[in-house]
Amino acid sequence: MATVILTVGLAFIGYLATYLNGLRLTQRQARLTRVNLQLSEFYGPLFALMEANSRVYDTFSETYARPDGRDPFHHEIPPTEQELTRWRTWAGTVFIPNIRAMRDVVVTKADLLIEEEMPPALLQLCAHVAGYEITAAQWAEGDHEEHLSLIPFPGQELREYTRDRFTRLKGEQARLLGRRAGRSNRRRRSEGAVLV
């Protein structure tokens, strides 16, 4: 009788261990699937667009800097007509399409956010794009009085946000896959550094 009880007890413990292990693996796989979606459909595209936009803007600023090194929009002397024409070309061709693409990622994939509420930098991005929609519409009508969005671009905050979340999710993805995070990712996390 004791042998039967022991056998049944061991079988039950084995079943319970198998069930709990299967549950843990299923939860891990579900978390990995979500992290992969967050990276491929939200944070990855947002990070890439933000980095590309920042680099192109830096190139514009360096290429068309005034003799003192500042760009025309960050100067006490207003931009010349030639500088404004050049800006409209760059903004209409590169900057506005990039920020629209960023806004579209935020608006269509908000369910993939890490946070429970929309971060202020993302709300500011959406408002900035709306402000540029008005400016671009005025340009299309031949009105070149305005050249910037009425709502400032959250450049520094957005760059820090996208880089931090992308790096954090890549680390979690590596952990879920059973890999160690890259040395640079571990160092950045341990130092709390955010590259800008």
Side-chain angles (χ1 to χ4, degrees):
M1 184 69 155
T3 309
V4 172
I5 293 174
L6 181 60
T7 303
V8 170
L10 289 175
F12 177 74
I13 291 171
Y15 168 78
L16 186 60
T18 301
Y19 170 77
L20 292 175
N21 188 50
L23 181 62
R24 186 184 60 81
L25 290 174
T26 300
Q27 290 171 336
R28 183 183 188 112
Q29 184 59 44
R31 180 64 191 143
L32 179 60
T33 299
R34 176 148 176 89
V35 167
N36 287 340
L37 276 174
Q38 287 174 306
L39 283 167
S40 67
E41 295 186 17
F42 192 89
Y43 291 100
L46 194 60
F47 177 67
L49 288 164
M50 182 64 200
E51 286 298 312
N53 204 58
S54 293
R55 291 172 190 198
V56 173
Y57 183 79
D58 290 346
T59 300
F60 171 83
S61 294
E62 291 168 12
T63 303
Y64 300 110
R66 290 186 170 172
D68 64 2
R70 294 184 291 166
D71 73 53
F73 293 106
H74 296 97
H75 206 280
E76 55 276 353
I77 300 169
T80 65
E81 191 53 45
Q82 180 184 13
E83 289 169 329
L84 292 174
T85 299
R86 190 177 295 131
W87 171 254
R88 286 192 301 271
T89 300
W90 280 68
T93 306
V94 179
F95 302 127
I96 294 174
N98 275 353
I99 63 173
R100 282 178 179 151
M102 285 188 254
R103 181 230 20 229
D104 292 347
V105 168
V106 171
V107 170
T108 63
K109 303 294 181 176
D111 62 309
L112 296 173
L113 278 169
I114 291 173
E115 298 84 5
E116 291 182 18
E117 294 184 15
M118 185 70 71
L122 298 180
L123 292 173
Q124 183 76 10
L125 166 68
C126 293
H128 174 74
V129 175
Y132 252 124
E133 297 288 2
I134 299 299
T135 303
Q138 290 171 338
W139 293 347
E141 294 171 354
D143 178 355
H144 299 133
E145 189 153 329
E146 295 293 331
H147 283 85
L148 302 173
S149 173
L150 297 174
I151 299 161
F153 184 65
Q156 183 69 24
E157 301 86 2
L158 188 59
R159 196 169 194 186
E160 289 174 5
Y161 173 81
T162 57
R163 182 167 290 169
D164 174 73
R165 298 320 188 272
F166 181 80
T167 303
R168 184 189 309 177
L169 284 170
K170 287 300 286 181
E172 184 174 356
Q173 181 187 52
R175 184 184 58 75
L176 289 167
L177 290 170
R179 294 188 221 136
R180 291 180 167 234
R183 200 173 118 221
S184 62
N185 285 349
R186 284 195 312 270
R187 187 175 65 241
R188 246 185 264 133
R189 277 198 309 272
S190 69
E191 296 169 357
V194 177
L195 303 175
V196 288

